[in-house]
Amino acid sequence: MTDIGRSAAVALLGVSGRLVEVEAHLTSQLPGFSIIGLPDTSLGEARERVRSAAANAGCPLPARRITVNLTPAAIPKRGSGFDLAIAMAVLAATGTAPGVSQRVVYIGELGLDGRVRPVPGVIPMTVAARDAGADRVVVPVGNLAEAQAVPDVAVAGVDSLRGAAIDAGALLPPVEVEPVMTDTTPALPPPAAELADVVGNEVGVRSMLVAAAGGHHVLLLGPPGAGKTMLAERLPGLLPDLDPPAALEVASVRSIAGLGANSWTTRPPWEAPHHSASAIALIGGGSGTIRPGAVSRATRGVLFLDEAPEFPRAVLDALRQPLESGRITVHRAAGAAEFPARCQVVLAANPCPCGNAGTRADLGGPPCDCTPTTVRRYLGRMSGPLLDRIDIRVHVHRMTTAEMRRTDGTTPTSEEARAIVSAARARMAERLEGTGWSRNAEVPGTWLRGDGRPEPGSTAVLDRALDLGTLTMRGWDRVMRLAWTIADLDGVDRPARRQVGAAAALRSAL
């Protein structure tokens, strides 16, 4: 006598999920429990968790040969999130839970006492189940608030295997248990900083406005105490709220990172790793489950690298590909995982190791003891190809007493600046409607030399720099993207000589 039960689960690789059919086959052979279909070590241990959980939930497994197959077998399956689906497939094969179907996706880890424990990555799993056409998604109660952030899919929460079996039609009396709630890692909130607190520094404030409007990357070069970090911390406050698709993308990454109910947010995220961070911490990876790095956790927001030359050069160069494509693919022996990396990178750097390069020692300023070779070696840790991908590169100078007294208090507040940025982005969205791009930083060079051509004769200075080799073709494109953003802020239809000149000036710090 043989019986087969079927349920469904989700195999997650990066932020992409694939629906997995869980088949449980019961035969009248010697008792045993085996799982096939390319499981990893933690998933292979599910047989002991499922057997103990079923016994303590009041629906023990029969003393028969149980074979569980995870289809498609070619897809790697990792983690303990398959426990509930395996248990429900076995209960369906025994006839205990007749309502179990391969149209219902089960997500959750089982404890030995029968309770269902929350797992990371529920949001992208729920998205994958919805896109695959699943009727319902059953998740642990500890993940319910997280899963309910996904629209257009029916989600139910269970606190135990017994509760899941009753939900699937098992004739068992309900038993109240204490649900296991998720132990969430608190997210790093964006700094609550007000732009109006910046005294003077018109170039720095203007560069933040342009960066926020067009989605451009920024390098702030200046001595200690000049306000580089102060400016960078105000950039998230200038960005508009995330639209629903962007918020769901951000929540998917944060869910995999283990933020639980804190995964959902409508504000752009903020990441500021220390300069001792490794390449894996920055771009993602891991020996087992591949986790997103800081560049992915900052997607649709800001990644701030303070003291950028203090980062190892190999770590900084790992950003070159995601800065260009907006995606990061992490390859490991077990497979490859792709994460979004569409963030704005802000680099802050001192002009030399001592930080005093460029000061007027003859007027009593602090002298710089660094040799030209030392300065070149220090700034050379930021490679030329990396800097070529940075749109805005500005010097931030120390404030003087005269500049402080001359300040007229016209620096806009963060709310006023966000309104200016939103208006500029609305112009971009109207112009780029139907192209697949939404910000000027995303448009390709073919568009800039086609429909996005500026006013005739306005690019003469860029063309000459390109001919002389002082500007690359990528640099030409990036200056023109800046020019379009400045034109949107100025409210003009196309960039003219003034906007192109202002864009070139914002890229001239090095």
Side-chain angles (χ1 to χ4, degrees):
M1 181 178 67
T2 63
D3 297 290
I4 293 181
R6 292 182 175 88
S7 66
V10 175
L12 202 60
L13 192 59
V15 292
S16 301
R18 176 75 179 272
L19 203 65
V20 173
E21 182 180 348
V22 182
E23 300 175 305
H25 184 207
L26 275 61
T27 64
S28 299
Q29 300 174 358
L30 290 175
F33 197 145
S34 60
I35 300 175
I36 60 177
L38 209 59
D40 70 346
T41 302
S42 61
L43 181 51
E45 296 170 347
R47 56 182 177 269
E48 307 301 334
R49 292 192 297 269
V50 169
R51 190 178 295 278
S52 297
N56 288 306
C59 44
L61 304 185
R64 299 168 63 182
R65 175 69 182 176
I66 302 174
T67 303
V68 174
N69 181 37
L70 308 177
T71 306
I75 299 176
K77 292 91 179 175
R78 302 183 180 90
S80 57
F82 290 84
D83 289 2
L84 184 58
I86 292 173
M88 296 306 293
V90 175
L91 294 181
T94 63
T96 304
V100 176
S101 165
Q102 59 205 46
R103 303 279 302 172
V104 180
V105 174
Y106 292 92
I107 301 169
E109 175 187 338
L110 291 177
L112 298 183
D113 57 358
R115 292 187 296 175
V116 183
R117 299 178 176 274
V119 295
V122 163
I123 289 180
M125 290 182 189
T126 307
V127 171
R130 180 197 64 183
D131 295 344
D135 294 338
R136 292 176 71 224
V137 181
V138 179
V139 301
V141 170
N143 289 130
L144 183 58
E146 187 179 351
Q148 287 175 336
V150 181
D152 304 325
V153 61
V155 179
V158 293
D159 54 9
S160 65
L161 178 57
R162 188 185 187 93
I166 294 173
D167 178 72
L171 299 178
L172 297 170
V175 175
E176 185 177 351
V177 299
E178 183 180 355
V180 181
M181 304 306 293
T182 180
D183 184 15
T184 59
T185 302
L188 181 65
E194 174 57 54
L195 185 63
D197 293 341
V198 179
V199 177
N201 217 331
E202 293 85 357
V203 174
V205 172
R206 179 66 173 176
S207 66
M208 291 298 103
L209 273 174
V210 175
H216 305 284
H217 307 302
V218 185
L219 167 65
L220 301 174
L221 188 69
K228 304 184 295 296
T229 302
M230 187 178 189
L231 288 168
E233 288 179 343
R234 277 141 183 82
L235 179 57
L238 309 185
L239 301 176
D241 288 343
L242 301 173
D243 57 24
L248 187 58
E249 181 182 53
V250 171
S252 296
V253 176
R254 289 159 64 95
S255 177
I256 296 173
L259 295 182
N262 294 328
S263 299
W264 184 262
T265 178
T266 58
R267 290 300 302 154
W270 162 270
E271 290 287 333
H274 190 259
H275 61 73
S276 61
S278 65
I280 291 178
L282 197 62
I283 67 172
S287 57
T289 302
I290 302 177
R291 298 293 186 188
V295 69
S296 297
R297 296 194 302 272
T299 191
R300 305 287 182 173
V302 178
L303 174 64
F304 177 47
L305 303 182
D306 199 6
E307 305 294 346
E310 300 296 338
F311 282 80
R313 178 165 177 165
V315 174
L316 290 178
D317 282 345
L319 291 174
R320 285 157 57 175
Q321 183 258 343
L323 286 187
E324 196 71 22
S325 63
R327 310 287 297 181
I328 181 70
T329 303
V330 182
H331 291 269
R332 292 295 181 267
E338 186 177 75
F339 295 100
R342 197 176 301 278
C343 63
Q344 289 182 246
V345 175
V346 180
L347 306 178
N350 294 328
C352 66
C354 75
N356 295 322
T359 58
R360 295 290 302 274
D362 57 328
L363 298 179
C368 176
D369 299 326
C370 305
T371 64
T373 302
T374 302
V375 174
R376 286 196 302 270
R377 186 182 300 115
Y378 181 74
L379 295 179
R381 297 178 187 176
M382 300 181 293
S383 66
L386 172 66
L387 294 177
D388 202 32
R389 290 165 166 81
I390 304 297
D391 300 353
I392 301 174
R393 306 189 302 216
V394 296
H395 273 290
V396 181
H397 300 282
R398 285 196 181 111
M399 289 291 295
T400 64
T401 304
E403 290 172 329
M404 290 177 61
R405 291 172 177 170
R406 192 171 62 246
T407 301
D408 53 5
T410 57
T411 302
T413 65
S414 294
E415 184 177 355
E416 294 170 345
R418 195 182 307 125
I420 296 171
V421 169
S422 298
R425 288 204 176 189
R427 293 177 61 88
M428 296 176 205
E430 182 180 359
R431 180 176 64 251
L432 300 173
E433 184 178 5
T435 63
W437 314 301
S438 59
R439 302 178 302 175
N440 289 330
E442 302 170 2
V443 298
T446 52
W447 183 87
L448 293 170
R449 291 179 289 277
D451 295 338
R453 287 191 300 269
E455 294 290 340
S458 60
T459 63
V461 63
L462 301 185
D463 297 340
R464 178 167 176 77
L466 184 64
D467 293 338
L468 293 175
T470 58
L471 187 68
T472 64
M473 196 67 218
R474 181 192 288 121
W476 193 97
D477 289 345
R478 290 190 175 276
V479 173
M480 289 311 304
R481 291 167 185 161
L482 272 178
W484 268 108
T485 300
I486 295 173
D488 289 325
L489 289 170
D490 291 347
V492 299
D493 292 334
R494 285 184 180 273
R497 188 182 297 271
R498 177 183 175 278
Q499 283 77 31
V500 174
L506 287 177
R507 195 180 164 83
S508 61
L510 295 177

